[in-house]
Amino acid sequence: MNTILKSSRLLSLSATRLSTLLWCGFSQGSTSSRPSFQIRRNCFNFVTMKPTVYVTRNDYARIGLDLLKEECELTIWDEPSPVPREEFMKNVAGKDAIFCSLNDRIDKELLDQAGPSLKVIGTISVGFDHIDLKQCRERGIRVGYTPEVLTDATAELTIALLLATARRLLEANKEAHTGGWKSWSPMWMCGTSIKNSVVGIVGFGRIGQEIAKRLVPFKPAQIQ
């Protein structure tokens, strides 16, 4: 009895690490539009004592992969690029879990190939259109994703691109490297000031709101 309980705790911890250490943000419960993930002690088989995980590329964060290796048996596509479909199909059979990205199509064909042992799919992406959620629900496969993980980064890059465009940074950089800049000129490459300008934001969800917050210190006349 103690052995079974210890094994259950180990496998639950492994499932937890698949979600947290590899950046899978999971929601509890099931809805029609969002995938869900719930840790279940009996979600992995007890044949190897370690859940088997197929990882679809080798350039995920090393610290996460190393920690996962402590308690899971990993099969990793050893390239910093999406795993070819044929390779994916060949190696996913019999695995307990898949850790993937938005480049990897998880459809009925692949789930059939994986077989009934597959219980968890974690994707390092905000979106999950590449995963057939209907098929996963029917098979009892829990799906994890990373909501909001890119909100700040996207907002920051948007501000960076806005500044680069308004102040013609890319053009000026090119001129400096190709000999176009000869000497100082009062109006050359001045660009446009964000201050007192009108800045439009298309869509005002999480990312749009974060962009607006970052724009305020630049003192635009309006943010629309």
Side-chain angles (χ1 to χ4, degrees), residues 116-141:
S117 63
L118 184 64
K119 297 299 180 185
V120 178
I121 298 172
T123 179
I124 184 169
S125 60
V126 174
F128 41 84
D129 293 345
H130 55 295
I131 300 174
D132 190 330
L133 296 183
K134 181 176 181 293
Q135 284 291 324
C136 289
R137 280 192 292 267
E138 290 177 357
R139 299 164 192 251
I141 298 171

Side-chain angles (χ1 to χ4, degrees), residues 30-32 34-36 40 85 98 105-116 118-121 128-143:
S30 178
T31 67
S32 59
R34 293 286 182 182
S36 63
R40 295 190 299 177
R85 181 71 173 184
I98 297 172
R105 189 172 78 256
I106 311 295
D107 55 12
K108 182 180 184 300
E109 180 187 34
L110 188 129
L111 295 174
D112 286 342
Q113 179 68 11
L118 184 64
K119 297 299 180 185
V120 178
I121 298 172
F128 41 84
D129 293 345
H130 55 295
I131 300 174
D132 190 330
L133 296 183
K134 181 176 181 293
Q135 284 291 324
C136 289
R137 280 192 292 267
E138 290 177 357
R139 299 164 192 251
I141 298 171
R142 304 298 182 177
V143 177

Side-chain angles (χ1 to χ4, degrees), residues 49-98:
M49 296 302 293
K50 284 188 175 183
T52 56
V53 182
Y54 187 73
V55 182
T56 61
R57 54 193 301 153
N58 70 356
D59 57 350
Y60 296 127
R62 182 54 52 188
I63 186 172
L65 292 178
D66 288 344
L67 287 169
L68 191 64
K69 285 177 182 177
E70 293 178 8
E71 295 176 17
C72 297
E73 182 180 327
L74 305 188
T75 301
I76 304 174
W77 168 241
D78 198 23
E79 295 288 343
S81 58
V83 58
R85 181 71 173 184
E86 290 184 4
E87 187 75 15
F88 198 176
M89 293 285 288
K90 180 175 70 176
N91 286 286
V92 76
K95 295 296 187 291
D96 296 304
I98 297 172

Side-chain angles (χ1 to χ4, degrees), residues 23 25 34-35 101-102 123-130 144-151 154 206-207:
W23 312 329
R34 293 286 182 182
S101 68
L102 52 81
T123 179
I124 184 169
S125 60
V126 174
F128 41 84
D129 293 345
H130 55 295
Y145 66 120
T146 55
E148 301 186 31
V149 71
L150 296 177
T151 300
T154 305
R206 292 192 303 266
I207 294 173

